[in-house]
Amino acid sequence: MTTRIVELRQGILKKNDELARELRGRFTAAGVLVLNLVSSPGTGKTAFLERTLRELRENGARVAALVGDLETDNDARRLAASGAPVRQINTHGICHLEAEMVSRHLEGWELADLDYLFIENVGNLVCPSSYDLGERIRVALLSVTEGEDKPLKYPTLFNSADAAVITKIDIAAAVDFDRALALQSIDAIRPGIRVFETSSRTGAGMAEWLDYLRQQRAAQK
Amino acid sequence: MHELSLVASIVDAVTESVSAYPGARVKEVRLRVGALAAVIEESLQFCYGIATEDTPLQGSALIVTVVPVGGHCPSCARDVEIASLQSFRCPLCCGPVENVRQGRELEIESIEIEDAEETVQS
Ligand SMILES: Nc1nc2c(ncn2[C@@H]2O[C@H](COP(=O)(O)OP(=O)(O)OP(=O)(O)O)[C@@H](O)[C@H]2O)c(=O)[nH]1
Ligand SMILES: [Mg+2]
Ligand SMILES: [Zn+2]
């Protein structure tokens, strides 16, 4: 009986990575800026997107969204109220989105007709970090209620982010949110990252966020 | 719990590779996993035992090598290793470390297989 070693040197997520690269090429060619929003369940991704979609549309931008959820289509219905095209991706138990799900749900959409495409990932701070969706910008969100040290507990996700958003700042005082500590822990994990402090309720911080989106879109061309 | 999806991908990839060796049995699968890959080895091992049942990988050992985190320090103009996942700053100058690539690996390095040939040799 002979044994042999076969060298593979193959990424476990090779299929996902290849498809994500292909998607990124399509997005760039079409001139659409694609963002992947990741956070714990309940951080306020959908509320933040509702407001972002609405304000971008009021400014004449062409926007669309894909939203991942384990089972329901509640978030998609909330986002569709903005008037933007929205599709739900039900993952049926899978705790993250994969490039293949994104690709499949884009069918029939003319990407060149879009300026921005937002992907709301499944609420989870671990698994989505390993799956490239072809996005240009990964946004990690953190609410004032979930602990200032979240980034330290989930370094993988926060280190892979291109921008961070602190949500629900309208209730910061009520929950004794320590702003300096939160900024410090984001900076420890991802030094120099842009941080937006926002409220989807009052609209605070949205102007800076929308400016950032415009800059990033212009820079992509 | 994406360990189960990861293990499913490993089983697919390895099954595909050993199809070139009909009847071969997989004895060992060696992985390189980055310290920043957010993978818990215990749960990987647990899922592996279940997911490999009735596949050519059944009964094989999963051996995980952890790859430390590293990136580039622009001020020192060199690649540096990061000792703690709580601070992504350069150990030499405390400046921000960019391009953290090393430490995210999820890679099948190699497999060890045992050929089937129970040939009666004359
Ligand atoms: N006060 C306040 N509450 C908010 C804000 N944004 C979201 N919320 C509330 O937080 C809860 C969760 O918000 P969602 O937008 O559904 O959170 P999500 O991150 O999309 O949740 P999942 O999709 O389940 O992961 C809801 O009750 C929202 O009304 C905010 O800016 N201020
Ligand atoms: Mg949501
Ligand atoms: Zn340095």
Side-chain angles (χ1 to χ4, degrees):
Chain A
M1 211 168 266
T2 53
T3 64
R4 66 176 94 201
I5 308 271
V6 182
E7 302 278 337
L8 288 186
R9 300 203 176 278
Q10 176 183 330
I12 297 174
L13 300 176
K14 183 170 156 230
K15 285 204 180 104
N16 187 78
D17 291 344
E18 284 172 357
L19 185 54
R21 212 171 304 133
E22 187 190 314
L23 282 173
R24 190 157 19 250
R26 279 173 60 196
F27 296 150
T28 310
V32 54
L33 184 72
V34 179
L35 298 95
N36 176 8
L37 278 72
V38 192
S39 80
S40 316
T43 293
K45 295 179 293 300
T46 306
F48 181 66
L49 266 189
E50 284 178 287
R51 186 128 197 167
T52 301
L53 294 177
R54 197 172 73 230
E55 296 199 9
L56 280 173
R57 277 172 59 85
E58 284 166 7
N59 287 300
R62 302 166 302 171
V63 297
L66 295 177
V67 50
D69 192 286
L70 292 167
E71 297 298 346
T72 78
D73 65 352
N74 296 343
D75 286 1
R77 278 192 277 112
R78 280 167 62 191
L79 293 175
S82 69
V86 175
R87 282 186 184 159
Q88 180 74 49
I89 305 178
N90 280 133
T91 61
H92 300 297
I94 298 176
C95 52
H96 57 265
L97 292 181
E98 297 184 7
E100 179 277 326
M101 304 175 191
V102 169
S103 172
R104 192 156 32 92
H105 285 80
L106 288 174
E107 269 167 40
W109 275 359
E110 191 53 68
L111 292 174
D113 291 346
L114 293 175
D115 300 321
Y116 302 94
L117 170 67
F118 296 88
I119 306 172
E120 177 180 337
N121 218 308
V122 180
N124 182 330
L125 276 176
V126 181
C127 312
S129 57
S130 308
Y131 294 85
D132 186 358
L133 303 181
E135 75 268 20
R136 173 72 45 186
I137 297 170
R138 185 176 290 185
V139 186
L141 297 89
L142 163 75
S143 72
V144 297
T145 61
E146 60 192 271
E148 293 83 355
D149 59 351
K150 255 299 158 56
L152 302 177
K153 292 178 177 167
Y154 298 91
T156 299
L157 186 103
F158 280 87
N159 183 264
S160 75
D162 303 294
V165 174
I166 300 176
T167 62
K168 312 190 191 181
I169 56 158
D170 56 294
I171 53 169
V175 297
D176 281 333
F177 176 64
D178 187 337
R179 173 175 183 268
L181 189 59
L183 294 177
Q184 190 187 318
S185 62
I186 294 171
D187 189 69
I189 301 305
R190 188 74 158 110
I193 195 179
R194 275 292 297 270
V195 183
F196 300 90
E197 300 169 58
T198 67
S199 165
S200 305
R201 199 144 289 174
T202 66
M206 291 305 291
E208 290 84 353
W209 164 246
L210 295 187
D211 274 346
Y212 170 79
L213 291 178
R214 280 183 215 108
Q215 283 162 18
Q216 291 299 316
R217 182 159 183 277
Q220 182 182 245
K221 284 183 191 160
Chain B
M1 271 309 293
H2 66 322
E3 279 82 358
L4 193 57
S5 332
L6 293 180
V7 164
S9 305
I10 296 171
V11 171
D12 286 350
V14 172
T15 304
E16 201 179 308
S17 314
V18 295
S19 65
Y21 310 90
R25 206 175 67 82
V26 180
K27 286 183 66 182
E28 202 172 275
V29 174
R30 291 185 171 265
L31 301 185
R32 279 162 42 86
V33 174
L36 200 54
V39 167
I40 299 163
E41 183 176 348
E42 233 179 14
S43 98
L44 203 61
Q45 295 286 2
F46 177 75
C47 296
Y48 191 79
I50 297 167
T52 52
E53 269 176 39
D54 301 321
T55 76
L57 291 76
Q58 182 165 348
S60 63
L62 182 66
I63 295 171
V64 177
T65 307
V66 177
V67 185
V69 179
H72 188 76
C73 174
S75 17
C76 297
R78 56 177 285 183
D79 289 343
V80 292
E81 235 171 59
I82 289 161
S84 155
L85 295 187
Q86 301 294 282
S87 174
F88 287 73
R89 289 188 170 268
C90 173
L92 305 171
C93 73
C94 282
V97 174
E98 292 171 359
N99 266 327
V100 176
R101 294 232 175 79
Q102 182 192 310
R104 296 188 188 285
E105 293 79 358
L106 279 172
E107 185 187 279
I108 309 171
E109 193 173 22
S110 62
I111 56 178
E112 186 178 329
I113 57 176
E114 198 170 70
D115 286 331
E117 22 176 31
E118 284 151 33
T119 40
V120 187
Q121 283 172 355
S122 52

